[in-house]
Amino acid sequence: MGILLNKPPNEAGKSWPAILIGMFVAFGGVLFGYDTGTISGILAMSYWENEFSTGYIDTKGHLDVSPSQSAQVVSILSAGTFFGALSAAPLGDTVGRRLGLIVSSCVFTFGVILQTAAQALPLFTAGRFFAGFGVGLVSALIPLYQSETAPKWIRGVIVGSYQLAITIGLLLASIVNNATHNRNDTGSYRIPIAVQFAWALILISGMIVLPETPRYLIRSNKPEKAAKALARIRRLPVDHPAVVDELLEIQANHEFELSMGKASYLDCFRGNRLKRLATGCLLQGLQQLTGINFIFYYGTQFFKNSGFQNSFIISLITNLVNTISTFPGLYAIDKWGRRPMLLWGAVGMTISQLLVAVLGTTTTTQDNMGNIIVLNVAAQKAAIAFICIYIFFFATTWGPIAWVVTGEIFPLKVRAKSLSMTTATNWLLNWAIAYSTPYLVNYGPGYANLQAKIFFVWFGCCFLCIAFVYFMIYETKGLTLEQVDELYEEVTIARKSVGWTPKVSFKERQASVNPESAERYRQASMAAEKHALGKEGGGAEYAES
């Protein structure tokens, strides 16, 4: 077994168009990551604290927003993303995955306009909500688009690239914040916010020219357009046997699902689809409960309060670790599989969070004003190092793989609806953490004042991740989306999914119960093979859409 990800020898057509399309669509993750990373730095900017303060004085005697206002500003984005993610299913199923992403980017842009124009908290908060609504739409539609266009042998890398884009967005936000935070004018916060116009414009421009997903077009009863889209993605003639065969399998899978009635949200909770939905929701929820967004939402403030002189630089370092660490994770997803990566990632995160909690708790104290006093600087630096190690484990495993798994475990009939609910779960926990963290961490009446003890909470959640992976995560490496359906029908215990191989295709299954389908599939395959032999695979033109 080599170290490279090689295209299977029996895989017809070109893979690079699908890879480039999937990687470009992943750019939408920059919207998510950049917006998340920007607010962490903005909350710690002196000019923004003075400009948006309503009179609250912090423990150091400076004007600032109160912890409750800080929680509102940060968490309102997550509230918007929650509702946006739930809205992604009807939007994606009605206008399509491609046009849905364009609409989502426009909603995000409206939110950025409001934030840029704001000079007080109400308008700024409203802008955060609309930007969040757009991000929520994007976060559900991108894995959906990627999963429905990617070749099976490299689907994990393509869908996982969405998480890479998120980390790049976080890193870019940290760089821009570090460049502007010392400005003593509105440019300190308006420049980082306004940069987001560029990210939305790039995504909109690309989606205008990219094709719709073949699976959505089959679902919309547009087989001719689906054939053209798939041929364009695979760089094969429309009537090439490989294109015809893949379309027939998608069509048969769709017909099999339609034979059981129209899809509703209740269908997501029936049969083994309930187990898949529970897997997806728990995976996305636990991803948030590992504590990653505590670091990227409140990290700059936390490091600043913990006595570090240049908290912006430390935040930049953690974001750099996050981005670089995602690359080996993308390689390993399709090389070693989803299940082992998630399992060992959870083990590494658990150990790291425990060490951060112990070091942070035993080497700091507080004065009577709530200011942190560092008793052992070396131990604090070691804690930062273990935070970086934790980020490495997260970025190589749970960061990208959560999006990969949720993008591939649902049947076409309910894929958009189920994926929107799993993504909404991610954002619901994201909101809960963003809103509760200031109350849990900060000093003062009505606050828990956990400080570094918060990492014990993340340690406990990471420990739960280990058991979850062992009992719930199926191995889906190298399977088509249709074969994943068969896997869940045949295998009831997650650990027995390793090494499973498909025994019958949906095309064969549908043909066995529907003679008309059997004859149609047979004639389509024979016509395609005859045409390919006559042209020797090179006579027909590539489809354009």
Side-chain angles (χ1 to χ4, degrees), residues 286 288-291 350 456-466:
L286 286 170
Q288 292 300 303
L289 290 172
T290 62
T350 300
F456 282 114
V457 176
W458 311 140
F459 155 72
C461 293
C462 289
F463 188 79
L464 288 177
C465 290
I466 299 173

Side-chain angles (χ1 to χ4, degrees), residues 286-342:
L286 286 170
Q287 186 207 52
Q288 292 300 303
L289 290 172
T290 62
I292 190 66
N293 277 328
F294 168 77
I295 295 170
F296 293 122
Y297 277 143
Y298 295 105
T300 306
Q301 272 190 320
F302 182 79
F303 297 141
K304 181 179 178 181
N305 294 339
S306 296
F308 289 96
Q309 296 301 312
N310 198 332
S311 57
F312 281 87
I313 291 296
I314 295 174
S315 179
L316 180 60
I317 292 171
T318 57
N319 279 292
L320 189 61
V321 171
N322 191 29
T323 302
I324 294 173
S325 300
T326 305
F327 285 98
L330 293 182
Y331 165 80
I333 290 171
D334 283 315
K335 193 65 179 177
W336 297 323
R338 286 69 162 146
R339 189 175 159 86
M341 289 294 292
L342 286 172

Side-chain angles (χ1 to χ4, degrees), residues 4 7 52 77 100 118 190 266 286 296 366 418 467 481 524 535:
L4 298 178
K7 177 183 171 183
F52 286 83
L77 178 103
R190 280 181 170 159
L266 285 176
L286 286 170
F296 293 122
Q366 288 177 289
S418 298
L481 297 182
K535 300 271 187 173

Side-chain angles (χ1 to χ4, degrees), residues 64 91-92 148 159 201 213 288 295 324 364 392 437 443 531:
D64 198 354
L91 179 65
E148 293 187 348
V159 180
L201 183 61
T213 74
Q288 292 300 303
I295 295 170
I324 294 173
T364 60
F392 166 79
T437 293
Y443 173 86
H531 186 89

Side-chain angles (χ1 to χ4, degrees), residues 95-282:
V95 304
R97 286 53 160 142
R98 184 181 71 90
L99 187 57
L101 283 168
I102 295 174
V103 173
S104 306
S105 301
C106 293
V107 174
F108 174 80
T109 301
F110 177 67
V112 174
I113 291 172
L114 296 183
Q115 290 179 79
T116 305
Q119 292 182 301
L121 281 177
L123 186 60
F124 191 85
T125 304
R128 292 275 297 165
F129 177 83
F130 282 104
F133 195 89
V135 169
L137 290 168
V138 165
S139 65
L141 290 172
I142 285 178
L144 185 62
Y145 185 98
Q146 291 175 312
S147 295
E148 293 187 348
T149 55
K152 63 180 181 179
W153 66 277
I154 201 170
R155 186 175 62 244
V157 174
I158 292 175
V159 180
S161 65
Y162 175 58
Q163 176 66 22
L164 174 63
I166 294 173
T167 66
I168 291 173
L170 286 163
L171 178 61
L172 291 172
S174 186
I175 292 171
V176 176
N177 281 341
N178 191 54
T180 67
H181 76 277
N182 285 325
R183 291 175 64 110
N184 195 32
D185 55 30
T186 59
S188 60
Y189 67 90
R190 280 181 170 159
I191 291 173
I193 293 171
V195 166
Q196 295 173 102
F197 287 119
W199 314 144
L201 183 61
I202 291 171
L203 184 60
I204 291 171
S205 301
M207 295 313 301
I208 289 173
V209 299
L210 292 181
E212 183 55 85
T213 74
R215 286 175 172 85
Y216 170 76
L217 294 170
I218 287 290
R219 188 182 185 279
S220 303
N221 198 28
K222 298 176 182 177
E224 295 84 5
K225 290 186 177 180
K228 289 181 180 179
L230 185 61
R232 180 182 177 189
I233 293 169
R234 301 287 186 260
R235 301 303 292 169
L236 289 169
V238 176
D239 51 5
H240 190 280
V243 173
V244 173
D245 194 58
E246 186 171 349
L247 282 174
L248 288 177
E249 178 69 0
I250 296 170
Q251 180 72 47
N253 176 257
H254 182 54
E255 290 177 359
F256 177 76
E257 292 170 354
L258 287 181
S259 68
M260 297 182 288
K262 288 188 176 181
S264 67
Y265 275 96
L266 285 176
D267 288 313
C268 300
F269 298 88
R270 290 177 176 146
N272 63 38
R273 292 190 290 270
L274 175 59
K275 182 176 185 178
R276 303 193 218 186
L277 184 62
T279 299
C281 289
L282 286 170

Side-chain angles (χ1 to χ4, degrees), residues 385-436:
F386 280 112
I387 286 176
C388 291
I389 292 172
Y390 155 76
I391 292 172
F392 166 79
F393 280 109
F394 177 88
T396 53
T397 58
W398 280 72
I401 298 177
W403 300 105
V404 174
V405 171
T406 54
E408 65 190 12
I409 61 175
F410 300 113
L412 178 61
K413 180 180 179 180
V414 295
R415 185 171 297 141
K417 293 179 176 64
S418 298
L419 190 56
S420 73
M421 284 190 279
T422 62
T423 307
T425 302
N426 180 294
W427 289 116
L428 180 64
L429 270 296
N430 190 303
W431 169 82
I433 291 168
Y435 186 78
S436 63

